Amino acid sequence: MEKEESDQGYPTLIRLNGELYYIPKTVEESVYNRKELLGTVTDPSSKVDEIPEEDFTSNSLDDVEVYSVEESNDIFVIPYETKEYGSRYHVLEKYDGDQ
């Protein structure tokens, strides 16, 4: 699957609980079962080419809800809708800077 990137080719980064995450893929909603709402990403904390420093901030996302999933403690999801594909998730995985 294609890596999610912002308009300028930078990965979408989100800071959660002191850790940095990115979106390596999107999947159908049926792949994961939401466990609990962790919080809402609010105003982007930085420019698209900067790393977010505060929890629940992003370099490009705003006003999206982040959920834990039953299948893994290391993966989080952001639900979204598309006209063509219906309900889907952005999948968040830890970012180590090499992606």
Side-chain angles (χ1 to χ4, degrees):
M1 294 196 180
E2 195 171 314
K3 182 173 16 174
E4 294 290 314
E5 294 189 351
S6 63
D7 293 340
Q8 288 85 8
Y10 295 98
T12 296
L13 300 175
I14 301 151
R15 186 161 304 271
L16 302 173
N17 303 320
E19 298 283 346
L20 199 58
Y21 291 82
Y22 78 115
I23 301 172
K25 62 185 174 182
T26 62
V27 298
E28 292 181 10
E29 189 177 51
S30 62
V31 172
Y32 294 107
N33 294 302
R34 284 190 243 179
K35 189 173 178 181
E36 72 176 290
L37 174 65
L38 298 178
T40 301
V41 174
T42 54
D43 298 325
S45 67
S46 55
K47 297 178 183 174
V48 71
D49 61 342
E50 294 178 355
I51 295 175
E53 297 297 327
E54 300 293 324
D55 281 344
F56 291 95
T57 58
S58 171
N59 64 341
S60 61
L61 293 178
D62 186 21
D63 198 30
V64 294
E65 294 180 337
V66 179
Y67 291 84
S68 60
V69 295
E70 293 178 4
E71 293 78 7
S72 173
N73 291 331
D74 297 325
I75 292 177
F76 304 103
V77 295
I78 297 172
Y80 72 100
E81 296 285 329
T82 68
K83 287 183 182 180
E84 187 173 349
Y85 299 110
S87 298
R88 295 184 62 80
Y89 289 139
H90 290 297
V91 178
L92 303 180
E93 294 181 4
K94 283 191 182 178
Y95 182 77
D96 64 15
D98 292 334
Q99 282 82 6

